[in-house]
Amino acid sequence: MRYQSTRGNSPQQSFLEILLGGLAPDGGLYLPTEYPQISKEQLDSWRSLSYADLAYEVLSLYCDDIPENDLRALLRKTYTEQVYCNGRTQDNAKDITPLHWLGEEQGTRIGLLSLSNGPTLAFKDMAMQLLGNLFEYALKKKGQKLNILGATSGDTGSAAEYAMRGKEGVKVFMLSPRGKMSAFQSAQMYSLQDPNIFNLAVAGVFDDCQDIVKAVSNDHGFKANHQIGTVNSINWGRVVAQVVYYFQGYLLATKSSSEKVSFTVPSGNFGNICAGHIARMMGLPIEHLIAATNENDVLDEFFRTGVYRARKSAETLHTSSPSMDISKASNFERFVFDLMGQDGKATAGMFKQVDEAGGFDISKDAVFKEMAKYGFQSGRSTHENRLETLRDIDQRYGVMIDTHTADGVKVAREHLQAGIPMLVLETALPIKFEETIEIALGRPAECPVAFKDIKSLPQRVENIDADVNQVKNFITTHLN
Ligand SMILES: *Cc1c(COP(=O)(O)O)cnc(C)c1O
């Protein structure tokens, strides 16, 4: 399998060649040159597979430069019940991403696909845990080392740290805004004692952290001399790992491949739902892919109107589903490339317009009128909707969900179609956003047993100023 850039002006590469990098040299994102097609017979033959072996069937189509036995071993090591046992319920834990039917509404079965049973209780573990094992494998093969520099306001950073802890050849330097994360989230990150993980608590806000990462990444000399890398959401390995649970969700919800299902996906950077788009392009019988946004509704606006209008950081609202607070959706370019008939030049032009004019408008273009064939729909949810949905799901079904998943359920309910099961992707567990849960329900969020004492564990964190040189100095003195 070869990978091309969405801007059409970079050499094609193999999976292992793009795994450790970020953007393509022309500024685009990597996509495979074709989507492998899965027949209905093949799909039905996968019903009896474990999650790890299902992942092998899907990923072997994309990672054909990893020997079969190595890939299967990496997947079996990654997707185990021991790693994905942290969730709310232990039943069906062997499914790794169990499906919990809530009930029937308007003649449609509605269920939660639980993606949050991994070590940090959010769906990012699904891909990140695999990335940790893939990075270790690729670095060993190439005889290289990697220093991962990142900025986080919560979910990404902790998922990356739990994926990379103890991995040979990898160190993680993670910037977080001091005192700005929830007590649970800081405890999750700062309680890690692994010598290859460094938490840097920056005196500033998340944007300061991100600016420092950008400044270091733009210092090409520093970056090359110190093997600096990232694990951000545009990494192809992350996207493709997420394709697997759309197959798993489909197989758990159906009895035969003649049936269809729809998925609603709480969306921010378009990474999760992009994986759903790829699954659909491979032939998985998905009726609709519904993007649910919060008040930061860049994506909902696009799918409704054909106008893509990136927001400025100052226009990005801080909401009670904070992991979807984005101003532009970094993975969206992958879908636009397909929408434009995989025309790199056209895609490059549109994203040049995003940089220069803040967005683009295809509302009058034929491609927008034909967009229905990709199955996308969308909706948005506000703080009030979120609280109301949290309460309703708790009262009606006795299930406590998190704020992002609540946005998903709210929007899913607006798109139910009789006879087509609706699966809402559960992207985190409520304990991660306990402050809002308590406000909505008037009682504390459920806490999985393994996390009961997390806030009293000793913490390992370095305080640092919002200063690029201080961060660079820290990295050079703690390098791999
Ligand atoms: C990251 C995240 C999202 C958004 O996912 P994208 O891939 O950025 O669209 C939604 N919910 C939670 C809990 C997250 O951590």
Side-chain angles (χ1 to χ4, degrees), residues 122-124 155-156 233 242 266-273 323-324 402 404 427-428 433:
F123 89 95
K124 294 193 173 69
D155 288 351
T156 310
S233 77
Q242 293 170 176
S267 294
N269 271 320
F270 206 75
N272 197 350
I273 200 167
S323 300
M324 301 176 0
D402 103 289
H404 306 75
T427 54
F433 305 96

Side-chain angles (χ1 to χ4, degrees), residues 104-109 416-420:
E104 191 163 308
E105 298 186 15
Q106 300 167 43
T108 304
R109 287 217 286 175
L416 298 178
Q417 273 178 292
I420 300 181

Side-chain angles (χ1 to χ4, degrees), residues 263-311:
F263 290 94
T264 301
V265 189
S267 294
N269 271 320
F270 206 75
N272 197 350
I273 200 167
C274 183
H277 163 69
I278 291 162
R280 196 174 182 278
M281 296 294 276
M282 292 170 73
L284 188 67
I286 299 175
E287 180 70 14
H288 288 127
L289 282 167
I290 299 143
T293 75
N294 63 17
E295 292 89 332
N296 297 293
D297 55 0
V298 191
L299 291 169
D300 177 42
E301 183 174 68
F302 171 75
F303 285 112
R304 279 185 301 102
T305 65
V307 177
Y308 181 71
R309 189 169 56 86
R311 316 289 199 255

Side-chain angles (χ1 to χ4, degrees), residues 82-214:
Q82 289 69 38
V83 174
Y84 293 93
C85 66
N86 302 291
R88 179 187 332 109
T89 48
Q90 304 298 320
D91 58 318
N92 300 334
K94 65 161 189 15
D95 293 340
I96 306 298
T97 60
L99 173 59
H100 294 285
W101 292 111
L102 289 173
E104 191 163 308
E105 298 186 15
Q106 300 167 43
T108 304
R109 287 217 286 175
I110 178 164
L112 299 175
L113 186 64
S114 306
L115 307 179
S116 312
N117 299 324
T120 75
L121 310 181
F123 89 95
K124 294 193 173 69
D125 289 330
M126 291 307 305
M128 209 73 96
Q129 286 288 316
L130 177 60
L131 215 59
N133 287 327
L134 280 173
F135 273 26
E136 188 176 53
Y137 174 85
L139 288 167
K140 205 176 206 169
K141 223 172 168 172
K142 296 184 180 181
Q144 290 175 2
K145 292 188 184 301
L146 183 69
N147 296 293
I148 294 172
L149 174 64
T152 188
S153 55
D155 288 351
T156 310
S158 57
E161 291 187 351
Y162 279 76
M164 301 296 165
R165 61 188 296 198
K167 293 283 183 273
E168 244 175 84
V170 184
K171 284 191 176 179
V172 177
F173 299 88
M174 191 59 66
L175 311 183
S176 52
R178 192 187 308 164
K180 300 285 193 305
M181 291 188 298
S182 76
F184 185 87
Q185 287 193 315
S186 359
Q188 261 191 327
M189 288 176 54
Y190 300 167
S191 63
L192 285 180
Q193 301 296 331
D194 306 73
N196 71 325
I197 305 292
F198 299 97
N199 284 301
L200 303 178
V202 175
V205 293
F206 172 66
D207 282 335
D208 298 317
C209 301
Q210 205 158 21
D211 288 345
I212 295 173
V213 172
K214 275 189 202 147

